Structure formats: C-alpha cells, structure tokens
Amino acid sequence: MASQDPSQRQRLYRCSFRDGPIRDRYLARLRWLGDNLRDPFADQVGQADALDDVTVRYSYQQVPFTSFQQFGELAGLVAVCGGDDAYYSGLKLKVISEQTWIDLLGMPLVKFAQAGFLILSWARAHDGSFDVAVAADPGVEQYDLTPELMLTVFHRFMAAELAELRQRAAADRNPVPTLRHLDRNPLQATPFVGIGAGRYVAPSMHLAVQRLSLAAIYHIGLGKYKTAFAEDLGILIEAYVGRQLGQLTHDALVPEQKYGTKSNGGMTCDWVLSMSRISTVFEVKSARIALPGRRSYAAHINDMLKDVGHALDQQIRRTADLIRADDPVFQSYKLPTDVYGVVVVAEPHLMIGSEHYRGVLPDPGCPYVVLTLRELERFVAAVLAGAGAGDLVRALTASHNRPESVIVEAARAVGVPENPANPLLESAFDLVTKVPTGAR
C-alpha cells in the first residue's frame, strides 16, 4: 500500500459494501490493494464489459498453469499427427508427409517426441534443470537416438540463453511498469534458460510441457507452411476424433456426408455416433482463440462465434434436423432421433460451458457441450471402462460444470476409475517410450 497516496487509501477504506450493492466503481478501487495488480481494463469504469475483460485476460494467464498433463500432451501430439505416407495420402493432405516432419523438425515426428520425452523426464526428476551432458548418456541410445538429435530438439525448440531472453522481453515491453506482468512471456517459445556451463533451468515446467504439444506444432508448422499446414492439421484432428469414437461399441459411426443438391445442400457434421439409443453429432474445430481474444471479452466472444458458434448454429443444427427428418443421407443408418451435439476444440475455450457463455452462443436446437481433445479422450476412456455412454452424454450436455468434473463424477457413480486409460492414447505413449528390440 506504500505506493498509494493518502487520499486514495482513504477512499478505499471508506468504501463499504454492507450498505448497498457492489458497483463497478467499488471494484475499480480494489485495484489499489496491490502495487503490481493494475490492469488497463480496471480503468474502464462504467463500461459494461470491463469486469468481463479482466476475467478473460486473467483466466488465460492463470488456468493453463494448473490444468496441463505431464506427458499427455506429448502422447496426444503423436496420436493425432503420427502416421505414414499412406495414411497422410488417404486424408488428401496438402503439405504434411513423413518428409515434412524431417524438414520442419530435423527428424521424424516420433524421434522428436522421444527426444522431448527424455528431456522432460530428466528435467522433472531434477527440479526443472537440464544439463546438455545428459545427451551423451549411453541410456539415450536405447531409444535409437543420437546425442545430436536430442540436442537439436533442446536447442532449436526449447532453450535460450539469458541475454537472448532479455532482448525478446525488452522488444515487446509495456511502457507502463506496473503492467509488465501482463506482457507476453518469452519462455513460451524457449522454456529453458541457460545459466552457464551447459546447464539450463525451466522456471515453469508447464511451459516446457507445452513446447512439445499439438499447439506448439501448430505454430511451428504455420511459420513454415502457412495456412496449408493449419488446414492439414485440422484434417488430422478430425480423423483422430473419428478414431477415438471408433473405439466404442456402437450401432453406427457416420463420417461427413453430402446432402441435398449442388444448389441447395452441403456437408453434414464430421461424425455422427449412434449408441445407447441416442445420436451424438460431433463437429471438430481446430481454430484457436487468437491473442486478441485472450485479452478482451468482445474479441473473445467474436472468436468463439466464428468457430464454435458457427458449428452450433449451422453445422450441428442442420445435421440434427436431417437426422430427425430421416433425410435420405442418413436413412440407411437408422439413426435415433434423440439428438445431442458435441463441438470438439483443439485447445481449451475457457469458461465456454458456463451459463453466461451459453447465453451468448447460438442454440443448435439440441442439448450440446464443448469438449477439448483431452476431454474427448477422457469421455471415451470412461465409457470403455464401464460408464453408460448415453447417461454421460446427457450429463455433459446438461451441465455448466467443467466436463472433466462431470466425467469423473459419472465414473465414480458406477465404480469406474476416475482416470481410466484411453487405449489409443496409451498406444501413442508406448510408441514414444518404447525401447527398440535389440537395444541395450
């Protein structure tokens, strides 16, 4: 409180919420409680979205630090993007092939993941530190990796010297000192900081984990191959969702279909799953909330309406109507007319399941839920372990709680482990950690 002048402190102390409702001007005064907590949005007193702006910004700053998976991101990267040229060709990708990963990463995708796994494992076991001498350990050879490959991943994608980090931080520095805690963190691109003699430390292991994720690959590939890479990645994610759903015992799993005529028709949603006497329509959106959408409420809503909103209002609504009308496009599948919708997003859209955001998003004409890829994996794993698919879909689409909490609660209700294994994800993780036959 030392930085506040007396008149400011007196106004704060006189502010009492016991005599009436909490107002924007009272909330604005609370910013004086911390010397370094001033936020530009707190100055928008009287503007309707001021508090929403603050909520959006701080949510995207803080929540990711408490919701990451230690190695799930790495396994998910391989599960989604891994494959051979026959697989990529079958999906009619524009730029991604086996050679693409070598050109982009300097090695095949699985080798990149294996090297990353060893780096993360060492760092986690040593309180976030990493010594480049580890690359010469004979144990690395068990994974058919060379020291050069391991150090390529580390130096090219994960590490930077302190002087370089200082330059990058200064280049995008807020002119207002008390706002600099909101600047973009240069550790997002290179989470390990050199401290001399080949030793590095990761102040946040969350950022180190994220550097070997699907989100990181998206930005790395976008820089080299532009929108063609993003489009290919979207196709890979759609295919992965279908492979996940294909693990379930179902009556029908229908991929995207053409309906209507050329002049009056289109495409149905990416997948329709028929099981437990309900039809669940899945639309996959690989678009991410861009940086402006992480800083203000209006931009955040605009981003959501462009991808999730469009999926609800156009794609899921139309597909649900076609199912209920027994349209010729679905007649041979005999789909149940009790329809539910699921929008699957590549990255978390924080707060999107709340009552407030549901009021902003369009109504698709059926119960719906927005799931991340990780939540979809947990949904599939819970059903495979014994949770009722229909009951779980109904619970997810009816709740405003986080989907992860709903899945855990449903699992507990039927005696299913809270975090059951997902076979497809487990196979990808086994591929990353597998020691080749004949290795020492």
Side-chain angles (χ1 to χ4, degrees):
M1 303 286 290
S3 65
Q4 302 164 14
D5 62 52
S7 62
Q8 291 166 347
R9 289 200 298 269
Q10 290 169 6
R11 287 197 298 270
L12 174 63
Y13 295 150
R14 286 199 304 267
C15 178
S16 172
F17 304 118
R18 292 176 295 179
D19 300 331
I22 298 175
R23 303 185 184 281
D24 284 348
R25 65 178 182 272
Y26 298 154
L27 295 173
R29 292 179 186 177
L30 292 178
R31 72 181 188 267
W32 298 110
L33 287 175
D35 293 341
N36 298 315
L37 293 180
R38 181 182 169 227
D39 191 290
F41 300 125
D43 293 325
Q44 299 175 0
V45 178
Q47 296 186 27
D49 296 339
L51 186 57
D52 292 315
D53 283 339
V54 174
T55 302
V56 166
R57 185 161 199 163
Y58 281 95
S59 293
Y60 275 94
Q61 284 186 323
Q62 301 300 327
V63 173
F65 282 82
T66 61
S67 60
F68 68 97
Q69 296 178 320
Q70 294 184 11
F71 295 112
E73 296 287 349
L74 188 57
L77 169 63
V78 174
V80 172
C81 296
D84 55 23
D85 281 337
Y87 177 65
Y88 299 138
S89 178
L91 295 176
K92 299 180 181 179
L93 304 184
K94 296 178 180 178
V95 296
I96 292 181
S97 65
E98 291 181 71
Q99 185 61 43
T100 300
W101 300 120
I102 296 174
D103 296 341
L104 186 64
L105 306 173
M107 65 196 73
L109 179 66
V110 172
K111 292 299 177 189
F112 173 82
Q114 288 176 326
F117 170 73
L118 294 180
I119 293 167
L120 292 179
S121 297
W122 177 273
R124 293 202 71 85
H126 294 81
D127 300 320
S129 66
F130 183 81
D131 193 322
V132 296
V134 174
D137 191 302
V140 172
E141 297 178 2
Q142 295 184 40
Y143 294 88
D144 197 23
L145 288 170
T146 64
E148 290 75 20
L149 286 177
M150 191 169 175
L151 292 178
T152 293
V153 172
F154 184 71
H155 288 299
R156 186 173 170 186
F157 299 102
M158 303 189 73
E161 301 304 318
L162 186 58
E164 178 186 348
L165 289 168
R166 284 175 174 165
Q167 290 178 351
R168 281 159 45 195
D172 190 27
R173 201 177 193 188
N174 197 301
V176 181
T178 55
L179 294 180
R180 288 173 185 163
H181 66 291
L182 301 175
D183 287 350
R184 188 172 182 84
N185 190 344
L187 294 177
Q188 288 181 299
T190 48
F192 285 90
V193 182
I195 56 176
R199 295 174 300 155
Y200 294 78
V201 63
S204 171
M205 280 301 296
H206 158 262
L207 296 179
V209 170
Q210 284 295 311
R211 195 57 183 153
L212 298 168
S213 67
L214 191 62
I217 286 293
Y218 169 84
H219 291 290
I220 292 170
L222 196 65
K224 183 175 178 65
Y225 298 106
K226 311 305 178 186
T227 56
F229 185 87
E231 291 170 1
D232 280 0
L233 198 57
I235 294 172
L236 285 170
I237 293 171
E238 290 173 11
Y240 176 68
V241 169
R243 286 158 51 210
Q244 280 289 347
L245 298 175
Q247 297 182 96
L248 302 174
T249 301
H250 53 264
D251 299 315
L253 180 59
V254 187
E256 187 180 52
Q257 303 285 315
K258 290 183 179 180
Y259 69 90
T261 63
K262 284 187 177 180
S263 60
N264 185 25
M267 303 296 292
T268 63
C269 284
D270 296 314
W271 300 98
V272 178
L273 176 70
S274 172
M275 65 183 301
S276 299
R277 298 185 296 281
I278 66 173
S279 293
T280 308
V281 179
F282 291 83
E283 180 61 26
V284 184
K285 292 296 180 185
S286 58
R288 286 143 170 89
I289 296 292
L291 188 59
R294 297 168 186 248
R295 289 180 170 173
S296 79
Y297 174 75
H300 185 64
I301 292 295
N302 184 56
D303 262 15
M304 289 197 304
L305 290 176
K306 283 193 300 185
D307 58 355
V308 175
H310 181 264
L312 294 171
D313 189 44
Q314 301 294 322
Q315 294 156 302
I316 288 181
R317 176 186 292 278
R318 290 176 181 174
T319 302
D321 287 345
L322 292 170
I323 293 172
R324 295 189 187 108
D326 197 23
D327 188 89
V329 72
F330 289 129
Q331 276 183 350
S332 62
Y333 298 104
K334 303 185 186 311
L335 299 176
T337 56
D338 188 9
V339 184
Y340 297 80
V342 178
V343 181
V344 182
V345 292
E347 291 183 14
H349 286 41
L350 305 179
M351 306 173 292
I352 200 168
S354 69
E355 185 175 0
H356 172 73
Y357 279 92
R358 286 195 180 221
V360 174
L361 290 167
D363 181 0
C366 65
Y368 76 90
V369 66
V370 179
L371 300 180
T372 65
L373 282 178
R374 302 291 85 85
E375 289 163 348
L376 175 73
E377 291 160 355
R378 294 198 69 169
F379 164 77
V380 171
V383 174
L384 288 174
D391 291 339
L392 186 49
V393 169
R394 292 186 185 93
L396 284 167
T397 56
S399 176
H400 296 312
N401 294 326
R402 292 177 58 189
E404 181 179 339
S405 301
V406 177
I407 295 170
V408 168
E409 184 177 344
R412 286 175 179 165
V414 295
V416 172
E418 291 185 9
N419 192 21
N422 182 296
L424 193 56
L425 200 60
E426 290 286 303
S427 295
F429 187 68
D430 289 344
L431 185 63
V432 172
T433 59
K434 179 180 179 182
V435 176
T437 303
R440 292 183 298 173

